[in-house]
């Protein structure tokens, strides 16, 4: 078991012939992801890597393929259109890697998602991976190993850091999800925490947050009320100054709100196991599971 | 991106929102002439810098004659203005806005922001105009009203009514307030703003609503559909190193410490800074070199780090995911040699081919130390700079 | 039992001091409806009929009262605002009587409803009544009698005609709902049919449709697939010409679509008991229930 | 509300959509001068009536000279144009639009409507331009593409792409088509339209998209925010009785039968018409007198019914809900007496105080018959008019 994706997930790639899209689609195929089709306007009829059929629109692709998930590499200016196309085509899972989508576009996308049955991960995220089964995203596959920890993160490479430790600690992962570093994202921590709580293979969850917004605080309240499984938390940005965007569009302390210390206080209060620095995420997970 | 008050008012005017007559000036002489032109017995001379809290720092002064305006401008232009928002180093005042005076009957606070939690645009209002809203929100949260407008709900008359009642205004102001709020909401969405703050919004003695100050932050990501954003960029207001980094496609933010950081990924960069701090040293910067850490890019990054004379040592922390660590190591070594780097550098490379990378670093003949983990690297660089 | 409203429903009236609002609020109070509060901008602090407190906004009213449903009499130009205010205040049931709301406003209202937990009945409808318990609307109360038939209708007086027959036939009604005569309405037949199917007191449903749109056809497909209880159908407008709005904004045959005969054909095919003319609605209900 | 082609094109122009040069004319002389002014060797003279299908009925003619244009106009102006959409009685042509010719490379069908099922705005397109879309939808449904745009989705580039591909256009047309569709979508929403039909939309030999014809139906309910709708009302295009009824606040639609109907409520009015038909007679009209059937209102209604000379009998069917039946009965009797009504009238009053009402009707001394139910009343009036 796992959440969101597994070895049977049929994946579409939107923007499959672009630079990023083609590079990562190849890597995903190498990992074993079942990429059944790609979409790029005006490239319909061609084949990607001499195998994956490319279509002009998702509707065209859907005529021939069952599609469970789509990986979106559409450029920022057209990403909202690409996501809404996927929502209208009723793709159950949309994973949007694209960085730099305007917030106003995301407000509309979020409204469209709310009235749909689609789940979106991202944008501005590394994607979703279920170890040894299905990778939809840009993370390095080899660091992942099937195991018992679910991973949620607003970050990219920091997630790899955590996963690497979990793998080396012999714990391994079920599913690892980068939820995205933007202020408005498709799916915040809570619905995913719930899925992990319900997933029999997941024993604990690592949640990696950062400065900006209140998503971690809300998540910790959910954890306190609704989760039996231990959650290990790390928050990046203790040394970040106020009013500056720390790389991610969503990572900003404004009006004194969204600081790491506030978040850590709330997380601790709500029973989250805190990893004081990123090097001890693996150890903290072991402790939380009473393995050390 | 931050813009100036005068630019913010230009945008408001474009959307049908009236502001007071004003003239942008670059010299005391221009300020003198502006006083004459405005035909207002009292004018306000306001420093145009990308920071709030100007009044307390001496960046907003009243003048009752052309001579007085000129002499204010003489002092203000060129001064380094320090406010709560500029940091200790302050900002140099390069231009001022000379604005007509107004008879103020009431002052309000009004802003629009993005409500992340509800995926909406939020109006924040208070009858405590002119105060710093963060202070009001701490001391008197009941004096602030926040109304979130979901995109498919839109701004509606009941929202206007709630704001009107909260501000203690009577029925007669409904039409004018409604017009103002609809224009602001429309401007916020159409111009892709991240923040629009009017503090204070005044009600004049002739019962007109006028934004006395206006602060707008634009969403850089939407620049593709607003080419005019480019005209609003004022690099003079930014840290020169940050400008240089940005132009090189690097994400760099200058801080006060002495450990230069070079990391791939924003989250890992913050975590690296935090870990350095834990080991008793202090990060000199945030720097995300991004996904492709080739020698060219690393060289540019080195140059930026070295331009900060406080930097005593550098910590390179790269998690090689798709990119192979030995390639990154080669890039780092080449770049360091090219620029003749002499500062101590701790390099931690994790991920694909990490072992080969460590060997390359160790055998480079440079002043490089291998960090075996994030913590190990942070510890080593901290110990070095503390010597 | 019944659906939507019962004797414990706490009702708010939006636009309670207006001409229509005050007239019908009085009638509802006479029927026994628990009207706990009213809203009219700038009339906050006063009392309606010397008893019901009036507030400026729903938020104000909610501070003192639990509100289960709201009856909206706000004029057409402001109705969308009034409905969205109710949605934002999370009122579970919104009954909008107002006629003449622009379609573009209703598209937005519908989108807002889709992302909320509120149910809206109407607009341009007579309202909702559970016989002898709660009347939220403008229908004559006295023709209703507690019984076993659920009634759904796009019409006003034609509904009274049907109810009158059901009462006189000794069948009586559980809940009677005018869903509204506009092209875009809050709740179409299907969700209400489902509620009636689940309501133990309802034995059969009378569904009164008319020309325009395809709501009846969709309902009949739902009935065929999901309902065990008999449904009696009547469609008004067999003699209506094409391209003319027959009073209701939604009652129009356009491009040859939405005719009564098409609807009747589909209803019959899907097992709905057809009342050939409105005078036999009561008799048809009896036959469907094998009572005659 | 229906508007004329030339008005529809005015609205399109306002929203940045180009149409061919054209001049509205009321006389053959104006048409002659319009030909000279337009500087187009070929012009099209088009009857301006509230109905489609004008071409087949002779309401659209090509002229290659001013004289020819004038002589076409001489025949067209004042003619009664009968098309599939006018009904047998046709419409009198009071004005014509003289429009420049264009070199047509392709013709398409394009319309926007309200999608009731999905609560959305729908684009309907077909490469079969100029055809009646109802016919195409019956014979070749695969030649029509419908795309519904939910309000919170908005028109997006993938929608444009789908339309482009369906119309068989290549990539080079994407920008222009996109511009056209966004303008149309914006116009549809901002002007509160119920329908916007462009048939045909042409692609000229110079690769421009031009709406050759344009039909718009505006949503009357939104007139409060579009005062200009009032200028677009053309009562000359409507049935005079319907205009009279509307001005009296009554909802009346003229039909071909001989039983005048007076009912409260639209659904009941339709059901009443249907029941009359079932008993072998034919309704002369739809008439909803609304909630307040007082004597003044009933009198106006009687007058309208009687203006239709075909009417041989009247059926009044009122379900008195909030209104009491005896009050309505009194109103009916008073009104009938006031206007000296002689036609047979069947009155059915149900609801509050129905018995008292029946007695009042029976004892009125007028030519009134009581209907005991909707069926009974319909049966009685049908038998009377069939005599």
């Amino acid at each position: 078991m796992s959440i969101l994706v597994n070895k049977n997930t049929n994946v579409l790639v939107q923007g499959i012939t672009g630079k990023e899209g083609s590079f990562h689609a190849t890597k995903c195929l190498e990992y074993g992801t079942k990429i059944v089709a790609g979409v790029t306007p005006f490239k319909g009829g061609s084949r990607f890597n001499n195998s994956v059929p490319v279509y002009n629109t998702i509707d065209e692709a859907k005529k021939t393929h069952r599609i469970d998930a789509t990986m979106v590499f559409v450029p920022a200016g057209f990403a909202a259109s690409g996501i809404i196309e996927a929502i209208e085509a009723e793709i159950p899972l949309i994973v949007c890697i694209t960085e730099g989508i305007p917030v106003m576009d995301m407000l509309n996308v979020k409204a469209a998602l709310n009235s749909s049955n689609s789940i979106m991960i991202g944008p501005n995220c590394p994607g979703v991976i279920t170890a040894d089964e299905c990778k939809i995203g840009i993370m390095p596959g080899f660091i992942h190993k099937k195991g018992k920890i679910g991973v949620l993160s607003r970050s990219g490479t920091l997630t790899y850091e955590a996963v690497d430790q979990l793998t080396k600690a012999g714990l391994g992962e079920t599913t690892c999800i980068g939820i995205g570093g933007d202020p408005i994202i498709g799916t915040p921590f809570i619905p995913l925490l719930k899925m992990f709580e319900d997933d029999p293979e997941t024993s604990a969850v690592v949640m990696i947050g950062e400065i900006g917004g209140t998503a971690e605080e809300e998540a910790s309240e959910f954890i306190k009320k609704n989760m039996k499984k231990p959650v290990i938390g790390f928050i990046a940005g203790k040394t970040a100054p106020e009013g500056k965007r720390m790389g991610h569009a969503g990572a900003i302390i404004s009006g004194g709100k969204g600081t790491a210390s506030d978040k850590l206080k709330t997380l601790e209060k709500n029973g989250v196991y805190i990893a004081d620095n990123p090097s001890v995420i693996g150890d903290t997970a072991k402790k939380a599971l009473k393995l050390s | 991106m931050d813009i100036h008050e005068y630019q913010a008012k230009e945008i408001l005017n474009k959307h049908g929102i009236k502001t007071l007559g004003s003239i942008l000036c670059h010299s005391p002489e221009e300020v003198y002439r502006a006083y004459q032109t405005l035909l207002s017995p009292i004018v306000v001379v306001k420093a145009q810098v990308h920071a709030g809290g100007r009044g307390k720092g001496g960046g907003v002064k009243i003048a009752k004659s052309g001579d007085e305006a000129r002499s204010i401008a003489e002092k203000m232009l060129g001064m380094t203005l320090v406010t709560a928002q500029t940091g200790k180093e302050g900002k140099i005042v390069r231009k001022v806005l000379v604005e007509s005076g107004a008879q103020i009957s009431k002052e309000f606070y009004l802003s629009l922001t993005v409500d992340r939690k509800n995926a909406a645009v939020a109006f924040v209002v208070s009858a405590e105009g002119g105060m710093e809203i963060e202070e009001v929100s701490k001391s008197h949260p009941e004096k602030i009203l926040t109304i979130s407008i979901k995109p498919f709900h839109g701004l509606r008359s009941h929202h206007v009514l709630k704001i009107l009642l909260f501000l203690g205004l009577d029925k007669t102001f409904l039409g004018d307030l409604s017009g103002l709020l609809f224009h602001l909401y429309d401007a916020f969405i159409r111009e892709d703003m991240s923040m629009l703050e009017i503090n204070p919004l005044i009600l004049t003695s002739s019962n007109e609503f006028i934004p006395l100050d206006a602060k707008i932050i634009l969403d850089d990501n939407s620049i593709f559909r607003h080419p005019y954003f480019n005209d609003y960029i004022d690099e003079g207001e930014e840290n020169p190193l940050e400008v240089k980094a940005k132009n090189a496609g690097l994400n760099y933010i200058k801080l006060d410490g002495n450990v230069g950081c070079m990391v791939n990924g924003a989250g890992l960069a913050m975590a690296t800074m935090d870990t350095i701090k834990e080991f008793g040293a202090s990060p000199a910067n945030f720097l995300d070199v991004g996904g492709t850490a080739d020698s060219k890019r690393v060289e540019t990054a080195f140059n930026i780090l070295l331009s900060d004379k406080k930097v005593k040592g550098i910590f390179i922390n790269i998690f090689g995911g798709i990119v192979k660590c030995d390639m990154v190591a080669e890039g780092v070594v080449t770049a360091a040699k090219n620029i003749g780097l002499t500062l101590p550098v701790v390099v931690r490379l994790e991920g694909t081919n990490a072992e080969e990378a460590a060997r390359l670093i160790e055998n480079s003949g440079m002043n490089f130390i291998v960090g075996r983990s994030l913590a190990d690297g942070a510890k080593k660089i901290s110990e070095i700079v503390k010597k």
Side-chain angles (χ1 to χ4, degrees), chain A, chain B:
Chain A
M1 286 285 289
S2 54
I3 72 168
L4 294 177
V5 299
N6 58 42
K7 60 180 187 296
N8 299 316
T9 305
N10 276 7
V11 179
L12 174 83
V13 180
Q14 287 174 263
I16 196 167
T17 63
K19 193 183 160 218
E20 295 277 302
S22 60
F23 179 79
H24 289 291
T26 307
K27 294 281 177 189
C28 289
L29 282 167
E30 284 167 15
Y31 193 75
T33 304
K34 281 179 67 183
I35 297 181
V36 297
V39 163
T40 298
F42 305 112
K43 295 278 170 72
S46 64
R47 284 193 178 257
F48 173 73
N49 271 9
N50 292 319
S51 65
V52 180
V54 178
Y55 301 89
N56 288 315
T57 65
I58 301 182
D59 283 355
E60 284 178 20
K62 273 191 75 180
K63 280 184 197 149
T64 317
H65 309 280
R66 188 198 80 218
I67 297 168
D68 303 312
T70 174
M71 176 160 66
V72 183
F73 279 103
V74 177
F78 295 94
S81 176
I83 295 165
I84 289 174
E85 183 180 4
I87 293 170
E88 288 173 351
E90 298 177 0
I91 310 291
L93 177 68
I94 301 164
V95 180
C96 182
I97 311 300
T98 309
E99 184 179 351
I101 304 176
V103 170
M104 288 302 144
D105 287 3
M106 279 307 300
L107 294 184
N108 282 315
V109 163
K110 188 83 178 173
L113 284 167
N114 279 345
S115 297
S116 79
N117 293 318
S118 297
I119 290 173
M120 177 164 111
I121 300 298
N124 188 14
C125 80
V128 180
I129 182 168
T130 291
D132 302 341
E133 298 198 27
C134 176
K135 165 179 143 165
I136 304 181
I138 60 172
M139 62 286 281
F142 71 93
I143 58 170
H144 296 261
K145 193 164 188 305
K146 188 165 276 306
K148 56 176 81 170
I149 312 290
V151 180
L152 295 175
S153 171
R154 282 170 66 187
S155 190
T157 46
L158 180 54
T159 320
Y160 312 161
E161 180 79 43
V163 167
D164 194 45
Q165 287 178 35
L166 295 171
T167 297
K168 286 179 178 160
L171 294 168
E173 308 85 37
T174 50
T175 302
C176 170
I177 301 154
I179 64 170
D182 275 0
I184 309 287
I185 54 173
T187 309
F189 291 117
I190 295 173
L192 301 168
L193 285 168
K194 189 173 176 344
M195 289 182 208
F196 278 132
E197 177 74 6
D198 296 342
D199 173 40
E201 265 190 18
T202 300
S203 308
V205 182
V206 167
M207 177 172 81
I208 299 170
E210 61 189 31
I211 54 163
T214 53
E216 294 83 359
E217 288 93 321
E218 289 148 27
S220 73
E221 273 154 35
F222 174 86
I223 290 165
K224 190 181 183 180
K225 274 196 212 138
N226 304 290
M227 287 190 72
K228 294 211 176 80
K229 296 180 184 173
V231 177
I232 297 91
F234 175 75
I235 304 288
K238 278 186 237 179
T239 51
E242 169 149 7
K244 290 274 188 181
R245 284 190 194 274
M246 305 303 281
H248 293 155
I252 182 167
I253 303 167
S254 50
K257 283 175 191 163
T259 63
S261 65
D262 280 0
K263 286 176 189 288
L264 286 166
K265 235 177 278 168
T266 312
L267 261 63
E268 198 150 22
K269 195 189 72 188
N270 286 322
V272 174
Y273 294 81
I274 305 295
D276 284 323
N277 75 65
S279 294
V280 299
I281 290 173
D283 290 346
T284 313
K286 274 190 166 177
K287 273 181 209 149
L289 285 170
K290 319 259 185 270
L291 298 175
S292 66
Chain B
M1 55 183 270
D2 288 322
I3 62 172
H4 287 293
E5 176 195 0
Y6 76 92
Q7 294 163 333
K9 287 183 174 172
E10 277 174 17
I11 297 177
L12 294 184
N13 294 161
K14 188 170 96 185
H15 285 272
I17 298 154
K18 194 182 154 182
T19 52
L20 297 171
S22 64
I23 296 169
L24 182 71
C25 302
H26 302 78
S27 71
E29 249 346 278
E30 279 180 35
V31 171
Y32 178 83
R33 285 201 302 275
Y35 180 91
Q36 314 297 343
T37 309
L38 285 172
L39 298 172
S40 169
I42 296 179
V43 301
V44 185
V45 183
K46 297 158 139 184
Q48 298 297 290
V49 294
H50 284 184
R54 293 168 301 168
K56 284 184 193 162
V60 179
K61 300 271 183 195
I62 287 170
K64 292 180 178 167
S65 71
D67 289 331
E68 195 186 356
R70 177 166 48 199
S71 90
I72 287 168
E74 275 162 2
K75 283 172 210 139
M76 203 180 277
L77 283 161
M79 81 184 271
T80 298
L81 184 62
V82 179
T83 82
Q85 294 181 22
T86 57
K88 281 173 292 183
E89 70 275 20
K91 299 227 181 232
I92 296 169
V93 180
R94 293 186 174 85
K95 40 199 170 190
V96 296
L97 188 67
V98 181
E99 191 167 74
S100 300
Q103 290 212 291
I104 300 174
S105 131
K106 275 179 186 158
E107 294 188 51
F108 308 103
Y109 174 91
L110 193 159
S111 71
L112 287 91
T113 55
V114 173
D115 173 355
R116 293 163 69 147
K117 190 173 169 185
N118 297 303
V121 172
F123 277 89
V124 180
V125 298
S126 173
E128 306 288 304
M131 307 277 290
E132 284 209 26
I133 201 69
E134 288 86 0
E135 283 172 24
V136 179
S137 85
K138 272 171 201 156
S139 58
H140 294 286
E142 78 286 356
K143 290 189 174 172
I144 293 175
L145 175 71
T146 303
I147 293 188
S148 284
I149 314 288
K150 294 197 178 168
F152 41 98
H153 290 199
L155 180 63
R156 302 276 168 181
S157 43
H158 69 281
H159 299 125
V160 177
L161 176 69
K162 282 185 195 179
I163 291 173
L164 182 93
L165 295 170
F166 187 81
L167 295 180
L169 291 163
D170 70 40
K171 207 170 166 168
T172 57
F173 293 101
L174 187 62
D176 283 353
L177 183 67
S178 183
L180 176 72
L181 297 183
F182 275 91
H183 283 316
L184 288 172
Y185 180 70
D186 197 53
F188 191 84
I189 289 171
R190 287 185 179 255
E191 306 295 345
D192 278 284
M193 299 182 190
S194 303
M195 218 266 285
L196 193 179
E197 186 180 54
I198 298 177
N199 190 18
L201 168 71
I202 62 164
L203 188 64
T204 65
S205 53
S206 53
N207 284 337
E208 270 192 302
F209 289 106
I210 302 274
L212 208 57
D213 194 3
K215 185 182 171 185
I216 286 176
I217 301 176
L218 299 167
D219 180 359
D220 314 45
N221 286 336
S222 70
I223 200 163
F224 67 87
R225 58 185 168 217
H226 304 292
Y228 79 89
F229 283 12
N230 284 305
D231 304 333
Y232 280 180
I233 293 171
D234 187 348
E235 291 189 346
E237 291 292 314
E238 314 300 325
N239 180 290
L241 286 183
E242 292 180 14
V243 173
K244 194 175 162 190
K246 199 178 169 190
N247 294 338
L250 296 170
N251 217 322
Y252 170 90
I253 292 165
K254 198 185 160 325
L255 300 171
D256 282 337
N258 54 10
V259 178
C261 303
M262 190 189 306
V263 190
N264 67 332
L268 190 58
M270 280 190 274
T272 304
M273 289 155 50
D274 297 349
T275 310
I276 290 167
K277 184 88 178 181
E278 249 183 50
F279 286 104
S282 189
N285 64 279
F286 166 95
L287 172 60
D288 173 9
V289 290
T292 50
D294 57 18
S295 70
K296 184 88 200 101
R297 214 172 162 76
V298 172
E299 194 173 322
T300 315
F302 273 139
N303 278 323
I304 288 164
L305 293 187
L306 295 175
S307 308
D308 179 357
K309 294 307 165 200
K310 278 194 193 163
V311 169
K312 290 191 185 165
I314 291 173
F315 182 23
I316 300 179
N317 184 20
I318 304 283
F319 199 103
I322 298 295
V323 153
K324 293 193 181 75
C325 287
D326 48 347
M327 307 289 283
V328 176
E330 274 176 29
V332 168
V333 173
T334 311
K337 284 184 177 164
N338 282 349
I339 61 169
L341 189 71
T342 54
L343 277 183
V345 178
V346 175
V347 186
R348 184 258 181 157
L349 291 163
E350 188 57 79
T352 328
N353 303 347
E355 285 310 309
E356 295 88 319
R359 228 169 294 136
L360 275 165
I361 294 295
E362 276 168 348
N363 302 334
S364 64
M366 302 289 291
N367 195 8
F368 283 177
I369 298 140
V370 169
R372 292 288 160 187
S373 71
L374 201 173
D376 181 55
K379 188 161 171 260
K380 284 176 175 162
I381 194 69
S382 302
E383 281 163 3
I384 290 165
V385 297
K386 279 192 285 182
K387 271 176 198 164

